[in-house]
Amino acid sequence: TDKREAIAAAKDFYDEILLSKRQSINNNPKKSTFAYCAQQVIAEDMARADRDELSDSYAITQRGLINKHITDYFKQIEVADIDYMFLDGFKNYLFKLGLVPATVKANFVPVKKILDYAQKANIIKTSPLLPSVKNEDNPRGYFNVREYRLLRTTAREMIGSLSEVKQRKIVNGKEIDKKLRNIIVSEE
């Protein structure tokens, strides 16, 4: 009813929006933020774990990755605003944290799932390309013929023997072997 009050209220509202944007707080009621999609993916993974479609440990690991570095970087950004360059910035952010290439790659698995969820939910038309993370190739060593023969001979000799499975831990600076179980070595 009062034009002056309406203009003042509109200016205050505009200032709140700008402040929220600078602080990465989204007051948009639409469910199109990366954080919302991330929570949906976590819920889907937990439901799939309950149905035994995924292992519990996998779902928990994915949730941990999402809640650690991913949500720190993506905050309340709109999924539609994420492009290749933003994702490349995320890759650089992870490397600056001192993470190794394998861990950086592991962080992109849930990011891809979240972007795919956003695409399935019609929040975005297409999922952006992910930057590549070069992983150093550390090929496993091999046995020469003599070592392989020794391995086969020793394995045959151990059939039927009792073998202890131990876990080595460091407690108060001392290495301690904890016996987990005994296994009878079979032919397999």
Side-chain angles (χ1 to χ4, degrees), residues 17-43:
I17 291 172
L18 287 179
L19 180 63
S20 295
K21 191 172 185 178
R22 283 191 196 107
Q23 294 175 338
S24 298
I25 299 169
N26 187 351
N27 295 322
N28 190 345
K30 289 183 356 184
K31 296 177 174 140
S32 58
T33 64
F34 188 88
Y36 174 81
C37 293
Q39 293 309 312
Q40 296 307 304
V41 168
I42 290 171

Side-chain angles (χ1 to χ4, degrees), residues 4-17:
R4 228 177 267 180
E5 284 180 27
I7 291 171
K11 286 180 180 179
D12 289 342
F13 179 65
Y14 179 73
D15 289 340
E16 279 181 40
I17 291 172

Side-chain angles (χ1 to χ4, degrees), residues 63-108:
R63 180 180 63 194
L65 287 171
I66 291 169
N67 289 333
K68 193 168 186 177
H69 302 300
I70 296 171
T71 52
D72 283 350
Y73 190 81
F74 287 85
K75 296 180 183 166
Q76 293 292 325
I77 190 165
E78 292 290 323
V79 178
D81 293 338
I82 297 171
D83 60 4
Y84 177 85
M85 295 309 294
F86 187 86
L87 294 170
D88 196 52
F90 177 59
K91 178 180 84 170
N92 293 329
Y93 164 78
L94 294 175
F95 277 116
K96 284 179 185 172
L97 292 175
L99 301 179
V100 296
T103 306
V104 172
K105 265 187 167 177
N107 273 276
F108 273 98

Side-chain angles (χ1 to χ4, degrees), residues 23 28 32 43 48 85 100 138 144 159 164 173 183 185:
Q23 294 175 338
N28 190 345
S32 58
R48 289 181 64 197
M85 295 309 294
V100 296
N138 291 326
N144 61 33
I159 294 173
E164 290 183 346
I183 296 177
V185 179

